Amino acid sequence: AGPIDWQPSKTDAWHGFTRHHFTLEGRPCWVSVPPTPRPGNPWVWCMIFPTAFDTRTGVVPLVKDGFHYIHMDVGNTYGAPAALDQMDAFYRHIVAKGLSPRGALLGVSRGGLYVYRFAARNPERVTCIYGDAPVCDFKSWPGQKSAKGWEEVKRLYGFKDDAEALAFQGNPVDSLEPLAKAGIPLIHVVGDADTVVPVADNTAVIEQRYKALGGSVTVFHKPGVGHHPHGLDDPAPVA
């Protein structure tokens, strides 16, 4: 079929791989192309902070191995409904261009809200989820950590007050059943000393609930490590 024409507005390099930039729904997007794409054009989608820890999350060897690495910048939107609509449009675009109808989602930190909410809405589009120190409940972060962030969550989700936000049942910790039914494996990497996104309120809840639903979940623990640095010194086991 030949290489996909992404109709980029510009092309640059990311870790030596060709990266095509374009705009969709008014949002900046890019696709990093592997030297030799695997059959079916599989992909990894990092929904926020895609280049901040890219040497530690396993994405570089995956692109080398034939996976596309993709991103749409929906801003700091906490997985809110309008952002999910934009991500749906991006998904439809990449599949129409020839990428696989199912791919891997990478959620770094607050990206946990993005990947889990996208996957709960679209489980048939997801092969696996990798959460890296992921936010799994906005009542934990920013709820207990950032007053400004909490106000942003309420505004972006359209909650009229704290009570409505606290009663919301659409956080990642609440939305695992469709993922378990679809057989989506979960991988988390956490720092056990994380005080920003505490494991007990986030990953530990996901792990316990997903196992109870019969789902597969693997957690890599980093003893004594906080929220940073994300990823692993050697990300090969995750990749």
Side-chain angles (χ1 to χ4, degrees):
I4 295 168
D5 179 9
W6 292 100
Q7 298 175 288
S9 55
K10 72 168 185 174
T11 297
D12 62 8
W14 168 82
H15 289 285
F17 306 109
T18 301
R19 178 169 62 169
H20 300 293
H21 297 260
F22 54 95
T23 301
L24 189 72
E25 300 274 307
R27 309 304 304 190
C29 307
W30 51 252
V31 173
S32 289
V33 179
T36 308
R38 281 176 171 249
N41 290 323
W43 44 269
V44 181
W45 181 356
C46 185
M47 294 189 167
I48 190 168
F49 312 128
T51 58
F53 306 95
D54 52 16
T55 59
R56 297 177 56 84
T57 56
V59 293
V60 177
L62 284 174
V63 178
K64 201 173 180 178
D65 195 35
F67 287 75
H68 293 73
Y69 187 43
I70 67 175
H71 176 64
M72 176 191 225
D73 183 358
V74 295
N76 187 22
T77 47
Y78 304 89
L84 292 180
D85 290 342
Q86 292 169 340
M87 291 189 276
D88 280 343
F90 180 62
Y91 168 84
R92 290 192 296 269
H93 183 76
I94 59 132
V95 173
K97 284 286 189 183
L99 296 198
S100 170
R102 295 178 72 215
L105 306 183
L106 168 52
V108 176
S109 190
R110 69 193 63 178
L113 294 171
Y114 299 59
V115 296
Y116 274 102
R117 284 181 43 76
F118 178 85
R121 177 155 138 160
N122 307 292
E124 73 288 348
R125 299 175 177 179
V126 182
T127 52
C128 67
I129 292 173
Y130 165 23
D132 199 290
V135 176
C136 305
D137 187 345
F138 61 49
K139 296 192 288 287
S140 167
W141 186 96
Q144 295 175 21
K145 304 290 178 183
S146 163
K148 178 174 174 276
W150 182 243
E151 291 307 314
E152 287 173 347
V153 165
K154 288 192 292 185
R155 179 178 61 79
L156 287 160
Y157 278 79
F159 299 132
K160 62 181 184 290
D161 53 25
D162 284 352
E164 190 179 4
L166 292 169
F168 180 65
Q169 290 295 302
N171 271 289
V173 292
D174 308 310
S175 311
L176 296 170
E177 200 167 334
L179 312 188
K181 277 189 176 148
I184 298 168
L186 311 181
I187 305 160
H188 281 208
V189 172
V190 294
D192 288 338
D194 191 337
T195 56
V196 180
V197 181
V199 175
D201 302 331
N202 292 278
T203 289
V205 181
I206 292 273
E207 183 177 21
Q208 181 262 318
R209 291 184 181 177
Y210 208 57
K211 283 180 174 168
L213 290 165
S216 162
V217 53
T218 305
V219 182
F220 294 85
H221 289 271
K222 297 181 288 188
V225 176
H227 193 60
H228 291 272
H230 286 282
L232 297 171
D233 294 341
D234 174 12
V238 169

